[in-house]
C-alpha cells in the first residue's frame, strides 16, 4: 500500500508559478512510475505529467508542455511538479498518482491516488 499526500497548491495570478509536492509513504515509492493529473469543475480528470520510476523519462500533456516540469527525489520519496507561466485554464484540483505497471498517460494505469491540492489562477 502507498499513501500519497499533495501540497503546494494555492491562489496565484496568471503568469505566476507554483511548486507542487507529493510525499509518499508505505511501500517503496521508488519502484513506481508517478503522475500528476488534474480535474477542473465540470470536467473529466486529465493527465498532466508523468515520470518513470528512475526519473529518466518524463511525459507531458500538450497543454502544459514547456511550462510544467515533473521531477522526483526517490531518497525523499517525493515527486514535484513545477508550474510556470500559469494560465486561468490551469485552475483545477491537482492529483498525484502512483503506478505499479509503469503507467504513463492513462489514469487507469495508476493504482494509488492522493486527495488532491487546489490550484487557482486568477486573470
Amino acid at each position: 500500500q502507498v499513501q500519497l499526500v499533495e501540497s503546494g497548491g494555492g491562489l496565484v495570478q496568471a503568469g505566476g508559478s507554483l511548486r507542487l509536492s507529493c510525499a509518499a509513504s508505505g511501500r517503496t515509492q521508488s519502484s513506481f512510475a508517478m503522475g500528476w493529473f488534474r480535474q477542473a469543475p465540470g470536467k473529466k480528470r486529465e493527465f498532466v505529467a508523468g515520470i518513470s520510476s528512475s526519473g529518466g523519462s518524463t511525459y507531458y500533456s500538450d497543454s502544459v508542455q514547456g511550462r510544467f516540469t515533473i521531477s522526483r527525489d526517490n531518497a525523499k520519496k517525493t515527486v514535484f511538479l513545477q508550474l510556470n507561466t500559469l494560465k486561468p485554464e490551469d485552475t483545477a484540483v491537482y492529483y498525484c498518482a502512483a503506478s505499479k505497471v509503469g503507467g504513463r498517460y492513462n489514469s487507469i494505469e495508476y493504482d494509488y491516488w492522493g486527495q488532491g491540492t487546489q490550484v487557482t489562477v486568477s486573470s
Side-chain angles (χ1 to χ4, degrees), residues 16-95:
S17 298
L18 283 173
R19 189 190 196 203
L20 306 184
S21 298
C22 172
S25 61
R27 290 182 58 188
T28 306
Q29 176 261 4
S30 60
S31 64
F32 298 142
M34 300 295 293
W36 286 94
F37 291 76
R38 67 187 181 186
Q39 187 166 17
K43 295 187 177 181
K44 294 182 179 179
R45 188 172 298 187
E46 65 173 357
F47 169 80
V48 175
I51 188 166
S52 62
S53 57
S54 67
S57 297
T58 56
Y59 318 95
Y60 298 94
S61 68
D62 290 343
S63 62
V64 308
Q65 179 76 49
R67 298 188 298 122
F68 293 6
T69 303
I70 189 171
S71 61
R72 67 190 297 164
D73 184 337
N74 285 343
K76 296 182 178 179
K77 295 186 177 181
T78 303
V79 177
F80 305 97
L81 186 67
Q82 179 68 40
L83 292 67
N84 294 331
T85 320
L86 281 160
K87 304 175 181 179
E89 51 263 44
D90 294 318
T91 295
V93 177
Y94 283 70
Y95 297 91

Side-chain angles (χ1 to χ4, degrees), residues 1-7 21-25 34-39 45 93-99 110-118:
Q1 194 75 0
V2 174
Q3 292 79 43
L4 304 173
V5 178
E6 303 95 336
S7 62
S21 298
C22 172
S25 61
M34 300 295 293
W36 286 94
F37 291 76
R38 67 187 181 186
Q39 187 166 17
R45 188 172 298 187
V93 177
Y94 283 70
Y95 297 91
C96 173
S99 170
Y110 288 80
D111 304 283
Y112 305 103
W113 293 83
Q115 293 301 306
T117 185
Q118 176 71 46

